[in-house]
Amino acid sequence: MSIPDIAVVPAGDGPVTPVHVGIIMDGNGRWAAARGLPRVEGHRRGVEALRRAARAAGELGIKVLSIYSVSTENWSRPEQEISDLMMLIKRFVREDLADLHKSGVCVRVIGDRDGIDPEILRLITEAETLTRDNDKLTLVVAFNYGGRQEIARAVKRIAEDAAQGRLDPATVDAETVDRHLDTAGLPDPDLIIRTSGELRLSNFLLWQSAYAEFVVLPLYWPDFDRTAFEHAIDEFRKRDRRFGGLEARARA
Ligand code: FPP
């Protein structure tokens, strides 16, 4: 059977910049292994790539950048790697928060805060409080995050509201769920980028990505730079987003 070549029709009247981009930063370990370096070196270079990504996002006119920093599943890694990651995250907040604030970045952290290191919790509160009124770019950091767990927490809050008589169960719809998610008030991601070639969502923004476009890059996260970011956006611009409706050509 031969598969016909389907032309991708660019959507809209001109270059569209995604409002919200999510990034699954994958491949730090492989980047290090390929160079005979310890995994922590890959994570350290990963933080540098994150700095580049945040800067580029602001320059490219993206309004929300969500990054998958630590998943609920990552805790099963060896103790030393977890402690290296925590050290890098704490250092990132201490060293970069002032610059992020100066650049107009609003930091928002999503994920389960129960049982996380009190020092990290303090840094999260500090970052969110300091940057709360900034509006150039919202940097959403998924920490101790899992999409299924987030949806379960939202369902729990909805059930509590219903039990307390604050909400009529008959009125629950997709918008109600949206309002109870950690990402309440944020637009859904238009584009999800994953590095290192894996074709998986890995429990990242499951609900919110219903109509996101996926771009998978064949490079490890520490090598991500502005050129790679622009390439992903160019790919996004070639897609014909239909949100379950008809493509522009068929509608005309
Ligand atoms: C994936 O590489 C990366 C991670 C699990 C961690 C991502 C974290 C950072 C870049 C650290 C910084 C975050 C903040 C907020 C400062 P991997 O280890 O899964 O790589 P592999 O699949 O090649 O082993």
Short mmCIF file of all heavy atoms in Angstrom, two decimals, residues 9-52:
data_model
loop_
_atom_site.label_atom_id
_atom_site.label_comp_id
_atom_site.label_asym_id
_atom_site.label_seq_id
_atom_site.Cartn_x
_atom_site.Cartn_y
_atom_site.Cartn_z
N VAL A 9 -1.00 22.55 4.53
CA VAL A 9 -1.42 23.90 4.13
C VAL A 9 -1.17 24.84 5.30
O VAL A 9 -1.69 24.63 6.39
CB VAL A 9 -2.93 23.91 3.79
CG1 VAL A 9 -3.37 25.27 3.30
CG2 VAL A 9 -3.24 22.83 2.77
N PRO A 10 -0.37 25.90 5.09
CA PRO A 10 -0.16 26.83 6.19
C PRO A 10 -1.50 27.47 6.59
O PRO A 10 -2.29 27.83 5.72
CB PRO A 10 0.79 27.89 5.62
CG PRO A 10 1.28 27.32 4.33
CD PRO A 10 0.30 26.31 3.88
N ALA A 11 -1.74 27.56 7.88
CA ALA A 11 -3.02 28.12 8.34
C ALA A 11 -2.91 29.64 8.48
O ALA A 11 -1.85 30.17 8.70
CB ALA A 11 -3.37 27.52 9.69
N GLY A 12 -4.03 30.34 8.34
CA GLY A 12 -4.09 31.77 8.63
C GLY A 12 -3.46 32.62 7.56
O GLY A 12 -3.10 32.16 6.49
N ASP A 13 -3.31 33.92 7.89
CA ASP A 13 -2.88 34.90 6.90
C ASP A 13 -1.39 35.21 6.98
O ASP A 13 -0.87 35.99 6.23
CB ASP A 13 -3.64 36.21 7.10
CG ASP A 13 -5.12 35.99 6.91
OD1 ASP A 13 -5.48 35.17 6.06
OD2 ASP A 13 -5.90 36.63 7.64
N GLY A 14 -0.70 34.70 7.89
CA GLY A 14 0.72 35.03 7.98
C GLY A 14 1.31 34.30 9.15
O GLY A 14 0.65 33.46 9.74
N PRO A 15 2.59 34.59 9.45
CA PRO A 15 3.22 33.85 10.53
C PRO A 15 2.48 34.04 11.86
O PRO A 15 2.20 35.18 12.26
CB PRO A 15 4.63 34.44 10.60
CG PRO A 15 4.74 35.43 9.51
CD PRO A 15 3.42 35.61 8.85
N VAL A 16 2.13 32.96 12.47
CA VAL A 16 1.44 33.00 13.76
C VAL A 16 2.45 32.55 14.81
O VAL A 16 3.10 31.52 14.64
CB VAL A 16 0.24 32.03 13.74
CG1 VAL A 16 -0.47 32.04 15.09
CG2 VAL A 16 -0.70 32.37 12.61
N THR A 17 2.56 33.33 15.87
CA THR A 17 3.45 32.93 16.95
C THR A 17 2.62 32.23 18.01
O THR A 17 1.59 32.75 18.43
CB THR A 17 4.15 34.18 17.54
OG1 THR A 17 4.93 34.77 16.50
CG2 THR A 17 5.05 33.81 18.70
N PRO A 18 3.06 31.05 18.44
CA PRO A 18 2.28 30.38 19.49
C PRO A 18 2.27 31.23 20.76
O PRO A 18 3.28 31.84 21.11
CB PRO A 18 3.05 29.07 19.72
CG PRO A 18 4.40 29.29 19.13
CD PRO A 18 4.26 30.30 18.05
N VAL A 19 1.13 31.31 21.40
CA VAL A 19 1.02 32.09 22.64
C VAL A 19 1.66 31.31 23.78
O VAL A 19 2.43 31.84 24.57
CB VAL A 19 -0.47 32.39 22.96
CG1 VAL A 19 -0.61 33.06 24.33
CG2 VAL A 19 -1.09 33.25 21.86
N HIS A 20 1.36 30.02 23.82
CA HIS A 20 1.85 29.18 24.92
C HIS A 20 2.64 28.00 24.35
O HIS A 20 2.12 27.22 23.55
CB HIS A 20 0.63 28.67 25.73
CG HIS A 20 1.00 27.84 26.93
ND1 HIS A 20 0.04 27.44 27.85
CD2 HIS A 20 2.18 27.33 27.38
CE1 HIS A 20 0.64 26.71 28.80
NE2 HIS A 20 1.93 26.64 28.52
N VAL A 21 3.88 27.89 24.76
CA VAL A 21 4.74 26.77 24.34
C VAL A 21 5.12 25.95 25.57
O VAL A 21 5.53 26.50 26.59
CB VAL A 21 6.03 27.28 23.65
CG1 VAL A 21 6.95 26.12 23.29
CG2 VAL A 21 5.70 28.09 22.40
N GLY A 22 4.94 24.65 25.48
CA GLY A 22 5.39 23.75 26.55
C GLY A 22 6.63 23.01 26.08
O GLY A 22 6.72 22.65 24.90
N ILE A 23 7.57 22.79 26.99
CA ILE A 23 8.78 22.06 26.59
C ILE A 23 9.05 20.88 27.52
O ILE A 23 9.08 21.03 28.75
CB ILE A 23 10.03 22.96 26.55
CG1 ILE A 23 9.82 24.20 25.66
CG2 ILE A 23 11.23 22.16 26.05
CD1 ILE A 23 11.07 25.03 25.43
N ILE A 24 9.20 19.71 26.91
CA ILE A 24 9.66 18.53 27.65
C ILE A 24 11.17 18.45 27.40
O ILE A 24 11.62 18.11 26.29
CB ILE A 24 8.94 17.26 27.17
CG1 ILE A 24 7.41 17.43 27.33
CG2 ILE A 24 9.44 16.03 27.94
CD1 ILE A 24 6.57 16.31 26.74
N MET A 25 11.93 18.82 28.42
CA MET A 25 13.38 18.97 28.28
C MET A 25 14.02 17.59 28.48
O MET A 25 14.33 17.22 29.60
CB MET A 25 13.91 19.95 29.34
CG MET A 25 13.12 21.24 29.44
SD MET A 25 13.79 22.39 30.69
CE MET A 25 13.32 21.61 32.22
N ASP A 26 14.22 16.87 27.42
CA ASP A 26 14.68 15.49 27.57
C ASP A 26 16.09 15.31 26.99
O ASP A 26 16.44 15.96 26.00
CB ASP A 26 13.69 14.56 26.83
CG ASP A 26 13.89 13.11 27.23
OD1 ASP A 26 14.56 12.85 28.24
OD2 ASP A 26 13.36 12.23 26.53
N GLY A 27 16.85 14.42 27.60
CA GLY A 27 18.13 14.04 27.01
C GLY A 27 19.36 14.54 27.74
O GLY A 27 20.48 14.41 27.21
N ASN A 28 19.20 15.09 28.95
CA ASN A 28 20.39 15.57 29.69
C ASN A 28 21.37 14.43 29.96
O ASN A 28 22.58 14.58 29.81
CB ASN A 28 19.97 16.17 31.04
CG ASN A 28 19.16 17.44 30.89
OD1 ASN A 28 19.07 17.99 29.80
ND2 ASN A 28 18.58 17.90 31.98
N GLY A 29 20.80 13.28 30.39
CA GLY A 29 21.64 12.14 30.73
C GLY A 29 22.39 11.63 29.51
O GLY A 29 23.60 11.34 29.57
N ARG A 30 21.67 11.50 28.39
CA ARG A 30 22.32 10.99 27.16
C ARG A 30 23.37 11.96 26.64
O ARG A 30 24.39 11.57 26.11
CB ARG A 30 21.25 10.67 26.11
CG ARG A 30 20.63 9.30 26.31
CD ARG A 30 19.35 9.15 25.56
NE ARG A 30 18.26 9.90 26.20
CZ ARG A 30 17.08 10.07 25.66
NH1 ARG A 30 16.82 9.58 24.47
NH2 ARG A 30 16.14 10.74 26.31
N TRP A 31 23.10 13.25 26.78
CA TRP A 31 24.08 14.27 26.35
C TRP A 31 25.38 14.05 27.12
O TRP A 31 26.48 14.06 26.54
CB TRP A 31 23.52 15.67 26.63
CG TRP A 31 24.41 16.78 26.18
CD1 TRP A 31 24.38 17.44 24.99
CD2 TRP A 31 25.49 17.38 26.95
NE1 TRP A 31 25.37 18.40 24.95
CE2 TRP A 31 26.06 18.38 26.14
CE3 TRP A 31 26.01 17.17 28.22
CZ2 TRP A 31 27.12 19.17 26.56
CZ3 TRP A 31 27.09 17.95 28.64
CH2 TRP A 31 27.63 18.94 27.81
N ALA A 32 25.25 13.83 28.44
CA ALA A 32 26.45 13.63 29.28
C ALA A 32 27.13 12.30 28.93
O ALA A 32 28.36 12.26 28.75
CB ALA A 32 26.06 13.66 30.76
N ALA A 33 26.32 11.23 28.80
CA ALA A 33 26.89 9.90 28.51
C ALA A 33 27.67 9.92 27.20
O ALA A 33 28.75 9.32 27.10
CB ALA A 33 25.79 8.86 28.47
N ALA A 34 27.16 10.64 26.21
CA ALA A 34 27.81 10.69 24.90
C ALA A 34 29.19 11.35 25.00
O ALA A 34 30.03 11.18 24.11
CB ALA A 34 26.93 11.45 23.91
N ARG A 35 29.40 12.11 26.08
CA ARG A 35 30.69 12.79 26.25
C ARG A 35 31.53 12.19 27.37
O ARG A 35 32.53 12.79 27.78
CB ARG A 35 30.43 14.28 26.54
CG ARG A 35 29.93 15.01 25.32
CD ARG A 35 29.21 16.31 25.64
NE ARG A 35 28.78 16.91 24.39
CZ ARG A 35 27.71 16.52 23.70
NH1 ARG A 35 26.96 15.53 24.15
NH2 ARG A 35 27.39 17.12 22.57
N GLY A 36 31.05 11.07 27.92
CA GLY A 36 31.76 10.43 29.03
C GLY A 36 31.74 11.26 30.29
O GLY A 36 32.64 11.17 31.12
N LEU A 37 30.70 12.08 30.45
CA LEU A 37 30.60 12.96 31.62
C LEU A 37 29.54 12.43 32.59
O LEU A 37 28.64 11.69 32.18
CB LEU A 37 30.21 14.38 31.17
CG LEU A 37 31.21 15.11 30.27
CD1 LEU A 37 30.57 16.37 29.67
CD2 LEU A 37 32.46 15.46 31.07
N PRO A 38 29.61 12.82 33.86
CA PRO A 38 28.55 12.39 34.80
C PRO A 38 27.21 13.05 34.44
O PRO A 38 27.18 14.14 33.87
CB PRO A 38 29.06 12.89 36.16
CG PRO A 38 30.09 13.92 35.86
CD PRO A 38 30.66 13.62 34.49
N ARG A 39 26.10 12.38 34.80
CA ARG A 39 24.77 12.88 34.45
C ARG A 39 24.53 14.31 34.95
O ARG A 39 23.88 15.11 34.30
CB ARG A 39 23.70 11.95 35.01
CG ARG A 39 23.63 10.61 34.30
CD ARG A 39 22.58 9.72 34.93
NE ARG A 39 21.23 10.26 34.79
CZ ARG A 39 20.47 10.10 33.70
NH1 ARG A 39 20.92 9.40 32.67
NH2 ARG A 39 19.27 10.63 33.63
N VAL A 40 25.12 14.61 36.13
CA VAL A 40 24.89 15.95 36.70
C VAL A 40 25.37 17.04 35.75
O VAL A 40 24.80 18.14 35.68
CB VAL A 40 25.56 16.10 38.10
CG1 VAL A 40 27.06 15.96 38.03
CG2 VAL A 40 25.17 17.41 38.75
N GLU A 41 26.41 16.74 34.97
CA GLU A 41 26.94 17.73 34.01
C GLU A 41 25.88 17.99 32.93
O GLU A 41 25.71 19.12 32.46
CB GLU A 41 28.26 17.23 33.41
CG GLU A 41 29.02 18.22 32.58
CD GLU A 41 29.31 19.56 33.29
OE1 GLU A 41 29.33 19.61 34.53
OE2 GLU A 41 29.50 20.56 32.56
N GLY A 42 25.17 16.93 32.52
CA GLY A 42 24.07 17.11 31.56
C GLY A 42 22.98 18.00 32.14
O GLY A 42 22.45 18.88 31.45
N HIS A 43 22.64 17.80 33.40
CA HIS A 43 21.60 18.63 34.03
C HIS A 43 22.07 20.09 34.16
O HIS A 43 21.31 21.02 33.98
CB HIS A 43 21.22 18.06 35.41
CG HIS A 43 20.53 16.73 35.32
ND1 HIS A 43 19.52 16.46 34.43
CD2 HIS A 43 20.69 15.58 36.04
CE1 HIS A 43 19.10 15.21 34.59
NE2 HIS A 43 19.80 14.66 35.54
N ARG A 44 23.38 20.22 34.50
CA ARG A 44 23.92 21.59 34.65
C ARG A 44 23.83 22.32 33.30
O ARG A 44 23.40 23.47 33.24
CB ARG A 44 25.38 21.51 35.12
CG ARG A 44 25.87 22.74 35.85
CD ARG A 44 27.32 22.61 36.27
NE ARG A 44 28.23 22.48 35.12
CZ ARG A 44 28.53 23.46 34.27
NH1 ARG A 44 28.01 24.67 34.43
NH2 ARG A 44 29.35 23.25 33.26
N ARG A 45 24.21 21.63 32.22
CA ARG A 45 24.10 22.25 30.90
C ARG A 45 22.64 22.42 30.50
O ARG A 45 22.30 23.31 29.71
CB ARG A 45 24.86 21.41 29.86
CG ARG A 45 26.36 21.34 30.16
CD ARG A 45 27.05 22.67 30.00
NE ARG A 45 27.18 23.00 28.60
CZ ARG A 45 28.27 22.80 27.86
NH1 ARG A 45 29.34 22.28 28.43
NH2 ARG A 45 28.29 23.13 26.60
N GLY A 46 21.78 21.57 31.06
CA GLY A 46 20.34 21.69 30.83
C GLY A 46 19.79 22.99 31.41
O GLY A 46 18.91 23.62 30.82
N VAL A 47 20.32 23.38 32.56
CA VAL A 47 19.88 24.65 33.16
C VAL A 47 20.30 25.82 32.26
O VAL A 47 19.55 26.78 32.06
CB VAL A 47 20.44 24.82 34.60
CG1 VAL A 47 20.07 26.19 35.16
CG2 VAL A 47 19.93 23.72 35.50
N GLU A 48 21.49 25.73 31.68
CA GLU A 48 21.93 26.78 30.75
C GLU A 48 21.01 26.86 29.54
O GLU A 48 20.66 27.95 29.07
CB GLU A 48 23.38 26.55 30.29
CG GLU A 48 24.37 26.85 31.40
CD GLU A 48 25.80 26.47 31.02
OE1 GLU A 48 26.08 26.28 29.80
OE2 GLU A 48 26.63 26.35 31.94
N ALA A 49 20.59 25.68 29.05
CA ALA A 49 19.67 25.66 27.90
C ALA A 49 18.33 26.28 28.29
O ALA A 49 17.68 26.96 27.48
CB ALA A 49 19.48 24.22 27.42
N LEU A 50 17.93 26.06 29.54
CA LEU A 50 16.68 26.65 30.03
C LEU A 50 16.77 28.18 30.03
O LEU A 50 15.83 28.87 29.62
CB LEU A 50 16.37 26.10 31.43
CG LEU A 50 15.23 26.76 32.18
CD1 LEU A 50 13.92 26.64 31.40
CD2 LEU A 50 15.07 26.14 33.56
N ARG A 51 17.90 28.70 30.50
CA ARG A 51 18.11 30.16 30.47
C ARG A 51 17.96 30.69 29.03
O ARG A 51 17.29 31.69 28.79
CB ARG A 51 19.51 30.53 30.95
CG ARG A 51 19.69 30.41 32.41
CD ARG A 51 21.00 31.08 32.87
NE ARG A 51 21.16 30.77 34.27
CZ ARG A 51 22.00 29.86 34.76
NH1 ARG A 51 22.81 29.19 33.96
NH2 ARG A 51 22.05 29.62 36.05
N ARG A 52 18.60 29.99 28.08
CA ARG A 52 18.52 30.42 26.67
C ARG A 52 17.08 30.37 26.19
O ARG A 52 16.62 31.27 25.48
CB ARG A 52 19.36 29.50 25.77
CG ARG A 52 20.84 29.63 25.91
CD ARG A 52 21.56 28.97 24.72
NE ARG A 52 21.43 27.53 24.68
CZ ARG A 52 22.22 26.67 25.33
NH1 ARG A 52 23.20 27.12 26.08
NH2 ARG A 52 22.05 25.37 25.22
#
